């Protein structure tokens, strides 16, 4: 079988794929009509996980779970747009890692609202200008995103899902030779996280490292200057049409950022692997043992706590704190209900959602 024969077979399979996908979309359209008539929620992360788990179980080919997820998340996103187009806001600029996280769940066809601050993303969802919002919550190398944590307490939004993104940086330039590059643009944190590449590949070269406000801005500048380069995300290099000379140049391949998808008055159905986030405004936190007793309630009920972050309780002259708490399980689980009932208004459930991290 020669190359042309192989290409002909691929073309035939592509035709079959198109036919099957159109058949799927016809069914999706009918599902959307039923959901609209009953005012059901369109985005169901637990249903998507069930589909992906089933496909992985039945898979006996070359596709990895990561590949299956990437393909079908795009299919899911197209399907949701057929059911009911919904606007998604995210922390900009375009080409940022938050943009990449948003596209990984809502696809390239969704209507996006690119906003300059985390506060504006929360506000867009709270006011109904966007159905969903995507914001970063933490990076495993740099820690928690304080703004996001604080607004989770201040705003009345629900956590729909979490997205875990492996952070990769690319070296992009219009020039095909390092010797012709005079300036490299990037965000200060990206320079820090790609220090090994910079010291090894650019040693002895008279190249200026110029910090800018975002890796997207870096890619935009590199697209305009033939003797410059950007350390940026692959999505921003693609967005501004800058060729990638080197990929995955970060020092650590363990760099991960976690993002939250937010909505208003959203409740997930229980799955077989949930995580819950709550806000705890415990009374009398200056009294010895208050936090211990609270944590012990989880331990006594066999609930695995995965995160606890303290934040200052502003507006008082004391040094009291409130807590962001995450644990495995759903808010409707009987042991969790016991704790929520015990502490009453001192606890605020932000949402239970499919555990990714």
């Amino acid at each position: 079988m020669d190359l042309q024969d192989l290409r002909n077979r691929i073309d035939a399979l592509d035709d079959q794929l198109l036919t099957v996908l159109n058949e799927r979309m016809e069914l999706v359209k009918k599902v959307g009509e039923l959901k609209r008539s009953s005012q059901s929620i369109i985005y169901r992360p637990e249903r998507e996980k069930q589909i992906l788990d089933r496909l992985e179980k039945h898979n006996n080919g070359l596709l990895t779970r990561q590949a299956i997820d990437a393909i079908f998340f795009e299919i899911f996103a197209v399907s949701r747009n057929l059911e009911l187009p919904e606007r998604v806001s995210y922390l900009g600029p375009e080409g940022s890692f938050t943009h990449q996280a948003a596209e990984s769940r809502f696809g390239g066809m969704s209507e996006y609202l690119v906003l300059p601050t985390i506060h504006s993303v929360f506000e867009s969802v709270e006011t109904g200008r966007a159905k969903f919002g995507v914001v970063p919550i933490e990076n495993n190398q740099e820690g928690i995103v304080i703004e996001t944590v604080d607004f989770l307490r201040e705003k009345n939004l629900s956590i729909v899902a979490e997205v875990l993104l492996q952070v990769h940086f690319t070296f992009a330039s219009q020039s095909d030779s390092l010797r012709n590059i005079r300036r490299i643009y990037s965000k200060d944190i990206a320079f820090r996280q790609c220090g090994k590449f910079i010291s090894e590949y650019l040693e002895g070269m008279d190249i200026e490292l110029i910090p800018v406000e975002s890796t997207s801005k870096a890619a935009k500048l590199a697209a305009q200057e033939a003797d410059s380069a950007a350390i940026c995300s692959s999505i921003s290099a693609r967005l501004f049409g800058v060729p990638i000379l080197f990929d995955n140049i970060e020092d650590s391949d363990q760099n991960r950022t976690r993002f939250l998808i937010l909505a208003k008055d959203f409740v997930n159905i229980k799955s077989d692997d949930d995580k819950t986030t709550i806000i705890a405004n415990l009374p009398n936190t200056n009294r010895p043992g208050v936090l211990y007793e609270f944590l012990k309630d989880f331990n006594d009920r066999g609930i695995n706590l995965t995160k606890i972050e303290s934040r200052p309780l502003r507006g008082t002259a004391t040094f009291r704190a409130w807590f962001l708490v995450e644990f495995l399980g759903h808010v409707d689980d009987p042991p969790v209900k016991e704790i929520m009932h015990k502490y009453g208004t001192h606890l605020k459930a932000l949402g239970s959602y499919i555990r990714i991290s």
Side-chain angles (χ1 to χ4, degrees):
M1 185 175 292
D2 61 18
L3 180 59
Q4 189 57 50
D5 290 332
L6 291 170
R7 286 174 172 169
N8 290 338
R9 289 191 62 183
I10 290 173
D11 288 345
L13 288 172
D14 287 342
D15 291 342
Q16 292 178 39
L17 281 173
L18 183 61
T19 299
V20 170
L21 285 172
N22 274 314
E23 289 178 4
R24 189 186 198 278
M25 295 307 162
E26 287 293 336
L27 295 174
V28 163
K29 186 178 178 182
K30 293 178 181 178
V31 169
E33 291 169 356
L34 289 173
K35 284 184 176 181
R36 281 192 293 275
S37 65
S38 61
Q39 296 185 331
S40 298
I41 295 171
I42 299 295
Y43 184 32
R44 297 262 51 132
E46 76 284 347
R47 167 61 179 156
E48 293 181 358
K49 183 178 184 296
Q50 289 172 2
I51 294 172
L52 294 171
D53 288 346
R54 178 177 56 79
L55 291 172
E56 181 185 31
K57 184 178 179 180
H58 293 167
N59 179 41
N60 58 3
L62 297 177
L63 289 176
T64 63
R65 173 60 186 254
Q66 186 177 14
I68 292 170
D69 286 0
I71 292 167
F72 276 85
F73 273 132
E74 190 67 32
I75 292 173
F76 296 154
V78 173
S79 300
R80 285 196 301 273
N81 273 278
L82 280 178
E83 291 182 68
L84 181 64
E86 292 171 329
R87 185 181 294 121
V88 180
S89 65
Y90 67 83
L91 176 66
E94 282 187 289
S96 65
F97 287 110
T98 313
H99 182 184
Q100 189 171 332
E103 276 205 2
S104 75
R105 289 299 178 270
F106 295 100
M109 285 182 58
S110 292
E111 181 184 355
Y112 289 107
L113 191 59
V114 187
L115 297 174
T117 65
I118 289 173
H119 175 263
S120 59
V121 175
F122 273 82
E123 189 177 56
S124 71
V125 179
E126 192 175 44
T127 59
R129 289 192 289 270
K131 177 67 175 179
F132 299 103
V134 184
V135 292
I137 178 69
E138 64 178 327
N139 176 270
N140 67 344
Q141 308 295 315
E142 303 290 334
I144 204 78
V145 180
I146 291 173
E147 284 180 271
T148 298
V149 172
D150 285 349
F151 285 126
L152 284 172
R153 177 176 178 269
E154 294 176 21
K155 304 293 186 180
N156 290 314
L157 298 183
S158 304
I159 299 174
V160 175
E162 63 177 355
V163 178
L164 191 64
L165 192 68
Q166 188 168 354
V167 177
H168 292 301
F169 289 102
T170 63
F171 187 87
S173 176
Q174 301 286 358
S175 173
D176 58 3
S177 173
L178 291 176
R179 290 189 297 272
N180 298 328
I181 295 173
R182 295 291 173 263
R183 293 171 303 284
I184 302 175
Y185 298 103
S186 195
K187 193 171 172 62
D188 51 2
I189 189 174
F191 283 133
R192 291 200 306 270
Q193 294 184 356
C194 300
K196 189 180 296 184
F197 172 85
I198 292 171
S199 63
E200 291 179 356
Y201 280 72
L202 308 176
E203 184 180 7
M205 297 184 184
D206 185 22
I207 298 178
E208 183 181 7
L209 304 182
I210 304 176
V212 292
E213 59 266 31
S214 68
T215 56
S216 299
K217 178 67 176 293
K220 185 176 181 179
L221 291 169
Q224 298 168 351
E225 303 172 9
D227 59 349
S228 69
I231 292 177
C232 60
S233 65
S234 58
I235 193 173
S236 58
R238 186 188 75 209
L239 183 67
F240 294 103
V242 191
I244 295 174
L245 300 187
F246 302 97
D247 213 343
N248 301 343
I249 65 170
E250 62 278 357
D251 293 350
S252 171
D253 61 1
Q254 302 301 312
N255 192 350
R256 307 284 190 276
T257 297
R258 180 173 162 238
F259 300 85
L260 297 179
I261 298 175
L262 306 171
K264 195 171 183 178
D265 301 324
F266 191 103
V267 178
N268 278 312
I269 299 170
K270 283 180 64 172
S271 77
D272 58 357
D273 190 10
D274 291 311
K275 181 193 286 188
T276 296
T277 302
I278 64 172
I279 297 294
N281 289 296
L282 301 178
N284 305 318
T285 51
N286 290 329
R287 179 176 67 79
V290 169
L291 182 57
Y292 166 78
E293 292 167 4
F294 176 66
L295 300 180
K296 187 173 183 297
D297 280 327
F298 287 86
N299 181 71
D300 290 347
R301 291 166 175 79
I303 301 171
N304 183 16
L305 289 170
T306 58
K307 180 175 293 296
I308 180 166
E309 294 279 343
S310 65
R311 296 291 299 140
L313 188 63
R314 297 191 177 98
T316 69
T318 66
F319 286 87
R320 288 185 58 201
W322 59 271
F323 303 93
L324 178 84
V325 180
E326 294 184 348
F327 54 86
L328 301 187
H330 195 280
V331 74
D332 287 336
D333 292 342
V336 178
K337 281 185 172 181
E338 290 177 10
I339 294 175
M340 299 298 291
H341 177 73
K342 177 178 179 179
Y343 289 89
T345 58
H346 296 295
L347 301 185
K348 174 186 175 184
L350 296 176
S352 297
Y353 46 92
I354 298 289
R355 181 172 72 94
I356 302 298
S357 62

